Amino acid sequence: MQLSIFRSREGRRPLVAGLLAMLGLMAVGAQAQATEVTGSATLTSDYVWRGTTQTQGDPAVQASFKVAGDSGFYGSVWGSNVEFAPETHASSEFDFTVGWAGEIAPDWALDVNVLRYQYPSTTVDLNWTELNGTLTYADNYWLSMGWSPEALGSEESGVYTQLGARFPINDAFRIEAAAGYYYLDDIYDESYAHGQISAVWAVKAPLELRLTAHATDSNAEDIFGDDFAGDRIEAAVQASF
């Protein structure tokens, strides 16, 4: 995530810290059962997050690892290079997630988690925590919501929502589309919307190619600037295991 303002935060909210610790303990307990380890490595022409670039349009190398138990509890870590405003000295991002995912009814699945954004190389405190939930229908339609009391590393709350769908063409090709809205009035006195559409080609396991067009509204450009928001194309290749 890219900031245009930075605020120091001496204390952390006990609600978020408590939930993170609780889910972490449950995820660790789940690993005593049978576990599955998965991961991925990605090379992308631009790291775009919620419609805005996190690398100022430059390429990014990303990797992830996830450990999940039979109970549905899981823990994961994801990393990427980033390039924010020069004064932050930000060069890397690590996202740590603990949560639960599983089927709640025929064709319906739920994923709830706590996600911690960490930027170890920065000279200012950009780290923050977010609570997330995603409801999926028939593996192809989803509604996601995220809430944080310290959104984008600030001292204020923010709410993000996304509605998306994937449309399989055949076993190798699919189209994905999503629209999101980020409520940031408490931080910037305005919020923004974005949309994206992707063409995905599962070349041959484990390789997948993705081409995505992103667009934001003018509010995003007001908040983050033209270098970070607006229209852009992202191309990526991913290998999963």
Side-chain angles (χ1 to χ4, degrees), residues 191-207:
S191 304
Y192 78 92
H194 78 94
Q196 63 190 61
I197 184 168
S198 303
V200 185
W201 177 27
V203 183
K204 183 178 181 181
L207 291 179

mmCIF file of all heavy atoms in Angstrom, residues 191-207:
data_model
loop_
_atom_site.group_PDB
_atom_site.id
_atom_site.type_symbol
_atom_site.label_atom_id
_atom_site.label_comp_id
_atom_site.label_asym_id
_atom_site.label_seq_id
_atom_site.Cartn_x
_atom_site.Cartn_y
_atom_site.Cartn_z
ATOM 1 N N SER A 191 -12.984 9.044 -0.547
ATOM 2 C CA SER A 191 -12.780 7.632 -0.803
ATOM 3 C C SER A 191 -12.626 7.430 -2.302
ATOM 4 O O SER A 191 -12.800 8.363 -3.084
ATOM 5 C CB SER A 191 -13.959 6.816 -0.263
ATOM 6 O OG SER A 191 -14.157 7.074 1.116
ATOM 7 N N TYR A 192 -12.307 6.195 -2.720
ATOM 8 C CA TYR A 192 -12.125 5.991 -4.146
ATOM 9 C C TYR A 192 -12.622 4.618 -4.582
ATOM 10 O O TYR A 192 -12.750 3.699 -3.775
ATOM 11 C CB TYR A 192 -10.660 6.184 -4.545
ATOM 12 C CG TYR A 192 -9.734 5.035 -4.224
ATOM 13 C CD1 TYR A 192 -9.478 4.025 -5.155
ATOM 14 C CD2 TYR A 192 -9.085 4.966 -2.995
ATOM 15 C CE1 TYR A 192 -8.611 2.980 -4.866
ATOM 16 C CE2 TYR A 192 -8.214 3.929 -2.695
ATOM 17 C CZ TYR A 192 -7.979 2.942 -3.633
ATOM 18 O OH TYR A 192 -7.127 1.907 -3.344
ATOM 19 N N ALA A 193 -12.869 4.502 -5.883
ATOM 20 C CA ALA A 193 -13.308 3.244 -6.484
ATOM 21 C C ALA A 193 -12.293 2.809 -7.534
ATOM 22 O O ALA A 193 -11.566 3.633 -8.107
ATOM 23 C CB ALA A 193 -14.681 3.416 -7.130
ATOM 24 N N HIS A 194 -12.241 1.502 -7.773
ATOM 25 C CA HIS A 194 -11.364 0.989 -8.818
ATOM 26 C C HIS A 194 -11.985 -0.258 -9.430
ATOM 27 O O HIS A 194 -12.874 -0.887 -8.845
ATOM 28 C CB HIS A 194 -9.964 0.675 -8.263
ATOM 29 C CG HIS A 194 -9.893 -0.614 -7.490
ATOM 30 N ND1 HIS A 194 -9.517 -1.814 -8.071
ATOM 31 C CD2 HIS A 194 -10.155 -0.896 -6.194
ATOM 32 C CE1 HIS A 194 -9.544 -2.772 -7.160
ATOM 33 N NE2 HIS A 194 -9.927 -2.245 -6.014
ATOM 34 N N GLY A 195 -11.518 -0.634 -10.607
ATOM 35 C CA GLY A 195 -11.977 -1.841 -11.277
ATOM 36 C C GLY A 195 -10.834 -2.506 -11.996
ATOM 37 O O GLY A 195 -9.813 -1.870 -12.304
ATOM 38 N N GLN A 196 -10.985 -3.791 -12.265
ATOM 39 C CA GLN A 196 -9.953 -4.531 -12.986
ATOM 40 C C GLN A 196 -10.570 -5.692 -13.738
ATOM 41 O O GLN A 196 -11.604 -6.236 -13.346
ATOM 42 C CB GLN A 196 -8.892 -5.056 -12.006
ATOM 43 C CG GLN A 196 -9.437 -6.043 -10.984
ATOM 44 C CD GLN A 196 -8.432 -6.348 -9.889
ATOM 45 O OE1 GLN A 196 -8.018 -5.437 -9.155
ATOM 46 N NE2 GLN A 196 -8.030 -7.616 -9.792
ATOM 47 N N ILE A 197 -9.923 -6.057 -14.851
ATOM 48 C CA ILE A 197 -10.342 -7.215 -15.621
ATOM 49 C C ILE A 197 -9.093 -7.943 -16.089
ATOM 50 O O ILE A 197 -8.126 -7.308 -16.524
ATOM 51 C CB ILE A 197 -11.250 -6.809 -16.804
ATOM 52 C CG1 ILE A 197 -11.759 -8.056 -17.525
ATOM 53 C CG2 ILE A 197 -10.560 -5.844 -17.746
ATOM 54 C CD1 ILE A 197 -12.885 -7.768 -18.506
ATOM 55 N N SER A 198 -9.112 -9.267 -15.944
ATOM 56 C CA SER A 198 -7.929 -10.076 -16.235
ATOM 57 C C SER A 198 -8.252 -11.188 -17.212
ATOM 58 O O SER A 198 -9.343 -11.771 -17.176
ATOM 59 C CB SER A 198 -7.371 -10.704 -14.946
ATOM 60 O OG SER A 198 -7.056 -9.736 -13.983
ATOM 61 N N ALA A 199 -7.278 -11.498 -18.062
ATOM 62 C CA ALA A 199 -7.295 -12.696 -18.890
ATOM 63 C C ALA A 199 -6.232 -13.624 -18.330
ATOM 64 O O ALA A 199 -5.068 -13.223 -18.195
ATOM 65 C CB ALA A 199 -7.009 -12.356 -20.339
ATOM 66 N N VAL A 200 -6.618 -14.846 -17.992
ATOM 67 C CA VAL A 200 -5.713 -15.777 -17.316
ATOM 68 C C VAL A 200 -5.577 -17.037 -18.157
ATOM 69 O O VAL A 200 -6.573 -17.620 -18.592
ATOM 70 C CB VAL A 200 -6.231 -16.139 -15.911
ATOM 71 C CG1 VAL A 200 -5.209 -17.003 -15.174
ATOM 72 C CG2 VAL A 200 -6.526 -14.868 -15.111
ATOM 73 N N TRP A 201 -4.337 -17.466 -18.348
ATOM 74 C CA TRP A 201 -4.038 -18.660 -19.136
ATOM 75 C C TRP A 201 -3.219 -19.610 -18.291
ATOM 76 O O TRP A 201 -2.087 -19.304 -17.931
ATOM 77 C CB TRP A 201 -3.288 -18.287 -20.414
ATOM 78 C CG TRP A 201 -2.878 -19.465 -21.257
ATOM 79 C CD1 TRP A 201 -3.485 -20.688 -21.322
ATOM 80 C CD2 TRP A 201 -1.776 -19.512 -22.175
ATOM 81 N NE1 TRP A 201 -2.842 -21.521 -22.214
ATOM 82 C CE2 TRP A 201 -1.784 -20.818 -22.758
ATOM 83 C CE3 TRP A 201 -0.805 -18.608 -22.565
ATOM 84 C CZ2 TRP A 201 -0.834 -21.210 -23.698
ATOM 85 C CZ3 TRP A 201 0.127 -19.005 -23.511
ATOM 86 C CH2 TRP A 201 0.113 -20.289 -24.056
ATOM 87 N N ALA A 202 -3.801 -20.736 -17.940
ATOM 88 C CA ALA A 202 -3.077 -21.786 -17.225
ATOM 89 C C ALA A 202 -2.285 -22.574 -18.267
ATOM 90 O O ALA A 202 -2.773 -23.538 -18.856
ATOM 91 C CB ALA A 202 -4.043 -22.690 -16.475
ATOM 92 N N VAL A 203 -1.056 -22.140 -18.508
ATOM 93 C CA VAL A 203 -0.246 -22.684 -19.600
ATOM 94 C C VAL A 203 -0.068 -24.187 -19.438
ATOM 95 O O VAL A 203 -0.478 -24.985 -20.262
ATOM 96 C CB VAL A 203 1.132 -21.996 -19.644
ATOM 97 C CG1 VAL A 203 1.933 -22.507 -20.830
ATOM 98 C CG2 VAL A 203 0.977 -20.491 -19.703
ATOM 99 N N LYS A 204 0.578 -24.555 -18.380
ATOM 100 C CA LYS A 204 0.815 -25.948 -18.038
ATOM 101 C C LYS A 204 1.285 -25.967 -16.608
ATOM 102 O O LYS A 204 2.160 -25.188 -16.229
ATOM 103 C CB LYS A 204 1.880 -26.570 -18.956
ATOM 104 C CG LYS A 204 2.124 -28.051 -18.696
ATOM 105 C CD LYS A 204 3.158 -28.606 -19.671
ATOM 106 C CE LYS A 204 3.388 -30.101 -19.410
ATOM 107 N NZ LYS A 204 4.410 -30.657 -20.340
ATOM 108 N N ALA A 205 0.695 -26.816 -15.791
ATOM 109 C CA ALA A 205 1.028 -26.834 -14.372
ATOM 110 C C ALA A 205 2.545 -26.917 -14.188
ATOM 111 O O ALA A 205 3.203 -27.719 -14.858
ATOM 112 C CB ALA A 205 0.347 -28.017 -13.694
ATOM 113 N N PRO A 206 3.090 -26.024 -13.325
ATOM 114 C CA PRO A 206 2.403 -25.103 -12.413
ATOM 115 C C PRO A 206 2.353 -23.665 -12.919
ATOM 116 O O PRO A 206 2.129 -22.751 -12.116
ATOM 117 C CB PRO A 206 3.303 -25.190 -11.182
ATOM 118 C CG PRO A 206 4.683 -25.287 -11.761
ATOM 119 C CD PRO A 206 4.540 -26.103 -13.030
ATOM 120 N N LEU A 207 2.555 -23.406 -14.221
ATOM 121 C CA LEU A 207 2.663 -22.045 -14.740
ATOM 122 C C LEU A 207 1.311 -21.453 -15.122
ATOM 123 O O LEU A 207 0.458 -22.129 -15.680
ATOM 124 C CB LEU A 207 3.592 -22.014 -15.953
ATOM 125 C CG LEU A 207 5.078 -22.273 -15.694
ATOM 126 C CD1 LEU A 207 5.838 -22.234 -17.003
ATOM 127 C CD2 LEU A 207 5.640 -21.260 -14.702
#
